[in-house]
Amino acid sequence: AQTVTQSQPEMSVQEAETVTLSCTYDTSESDYYLFWYKQPPSRQMILVIRQEAYKQQNATENRFSVNFQKAAKSFSLKISDSQLGDAAMYFCAYSLYGNKLVFGAGTILRVKS
Amino acid sequence: KAGVTQTPRYLIKTRGQQVTLSCSPISGHRSVSWYQQTPGQGLQFLFEYFSETQRNKGNFPGRFSGRQFSNSRSEMNVSTLELGDSALYLCASRPGTGAYEQYFGPGTRLTVT
């Protein structure tokens, strides 16, 4: 069974600085999808960024980028120029066909002003 | 486009009762998935429906069931409620064909007393 591990229960970052959240996963498949979701206190899950495993190029979305290392089964999220609104729980997720998402335990990100 | 909507947002039930939660996907989306979020178990996949057919099921007892209607709206039912069923139930939708990003609703907070 596929598993997703987020080893950092909590992270802090100063406003305007950069932070990296870690994620590793376990799968025997070669084609799959990886995601980062953000869950603020409102509990609404928001898709931050996605990565297709067959693409070597790392995905970027504005201030958010990933470092996808397929051989190492690692998928970290970098947030640049952190803002107060980035404070949330961040979940890394894996999906084989885009349907069933397997989530990590989450990382709480605190942003200090 | 309107996002995924879930009703009700909050619900309090007593042990042994049953409950039905509703989810309306984004217009045009044919796939609806359900997830349970608890502090202890994290986010767990319940099931996925596509074109009124259950395509995937997570590791939950038979007390958890669901269905999807011809307009893609989905309902989830939990019978004989237990205290451990207290959770945030999240619904997510995606187009279903060639698109693998899931978009989440705000969730239904179920409390079982």
Side-chain angles (χ1 to χ4, degrees), chain B:
Chain B
K1 273 187 183 178
V4 178
T5 58
Q6 292 185 245
T7 56
R9 293 292 311 279
Y10 302 91
L11 207 47
I12 300 175
K13 289 287 188 178
T14 304
R15 267 183 305 176
Q17 289 185 317
Q18 75 165 18
V19 67
T20 299
L21 312 182
S22 180
C23 171
S24 292
I26 292 170
S27 177
H29 286 195
R30 295 165 63 192
S31 168
V32 173
S33 295
W34 289 88
Y35 296 85
Q36 181 196 64
Q37 185 176 22
T38 60
Q41 300 299 316
L43 280 152
Q44 293 185 288
F45 172 78
L46 279 156
F47 28 65
E48 182 208 10
Y49 285 88
F50 178 80
S51 293
E52 302 178 65
T53 302
Q54 186 181 88
R55 290 209 298 193
N56 253 293
K57 191 176 191 307
N59 188 24
F60 278 83
R63 299 185 298 106
F64 291 81
S65 63
R67 59 178 175 167
Q68 187 180 34
F69 302 94
S70 58
N71 61 358
S72 294
R73 189 177 70 85
S74 177
E75 286 183 348
M76 188 192 109
N77 185 276
V78 187
S79 62
T80 319
L81 284 165
E82 299 177 0
L83 295 178
D85 297 333
S86 295
L88 179 68
Y89 290 90
L90 294 164
C91 164
S93 77
R94 65 186 180 106
T97 304
Y100 48 88
E101 299 159 4
Q102 292 191 32
Y103 297 92
F104 283 81
T108 294
R109 168 72 67 186
L110 171 64
T111 302
V112 182
T113 63

Side-chain angles (χ1 to χ4, degrees), chain A residues 33 35 37 39 42-45 47 50-52 54-55 91 95 97-104, chain B residues 9 33 35 37 43-45 48 55-58 88 90 94 99-106 109:
Chain A
Y33 305 98
F35 308 88
Y37 280 90
Q39 188 178 45
S42 67
R43 309 296 267 173
Q44 173 80 54
M45 293 283 278
L47 178 63
R50 68 175 191 219
Q51 175 80 43
E52 298 95 325
Y54 65 85
K55 290 186 177 178
F91 291 97
S95 178
Y97 301 115
N99 46 5
K100 172 185 172 182
L101 287 168
V102 177
F103 287 92
Chain B
R9 293 292 311 279
S33 295
Y35 296 85
Q37 185 176 22
L43 280 152
Q44 293 185 288
F45 172 78
E48 182 208 10
R55 290 209 298 193
N56 253 293
K57 191 176 191 307
L88 179 68
L90 294 164
R94 65 186 180 106
Y100 48 88
E101 299 159 4
Q102 292 191 32
Y103 297 92
F104 283 81
R109 168 72 67 186

Side-chain angles (χ1 to χ4, degrees), chain A:
Chain A
Q2 292 85 8
T3 58
V4 177
T5 302
Q6 293 180 250
S7 58
Q8 307 152 317
E10 191 170 327
M11 294 281 285
S12 290
V13 64
Q14 200 69 35
E15 205 175 356
E17 294 191 343
T18 296
V19 65
T20 298
L21 308 184
S22 301
C23 172
T24 58
Y25 57 94
D26 186 29
T27 184
S28 58
E29 305 290 340
S30 58
D31 286 331
Y32 47 86
Y33 305 98
L34 297 165
F35 308 88
W36 279 97
Y37 280 90
K38 166 186 176 181
Q39 188 178 45
S42 67
R43 309 296 267 173
Q44 173 80 54
M45 293 283 278
I46 301 164
L47 178 63
V48 174
I49 200 165
R50 68 175 191 219
Q51 175 80 43
E52 298 95 325
Y54 65 85
K55 290 186 177 178
Q56 293 186 335
Q57 186 173 6
N58 289 324
T60 61
E61 288 286 343
N62 301 314
R63 298 181 295 106
F64 299 87
S65 61
V66 298
N67 183 2
F68 173 49
Q69 302 288 327
K70 192 172 183 180
K73 296 180 183 175
S74 170
F75 183 61
S76 61
L77 174 70
K78 185 171 86 170
I79 306 174
S80 304
D81 186 26
S82 296
Q83 301 174 359
L84 294 176
D86 294 334
M89 176 80 94
Y90 285 80
F91 291 97
C92 178
Y94 164 101
S95 178
L96 185 54
Y97 301 115
N99 46 5
K100 172 185 172 182
L101 287 168
V102 177
F103 287 92
T107 296
I108 298 172
L109 177 65
R110 304 193 191 283
V111 181
K112 302 175 187 175
S113 59

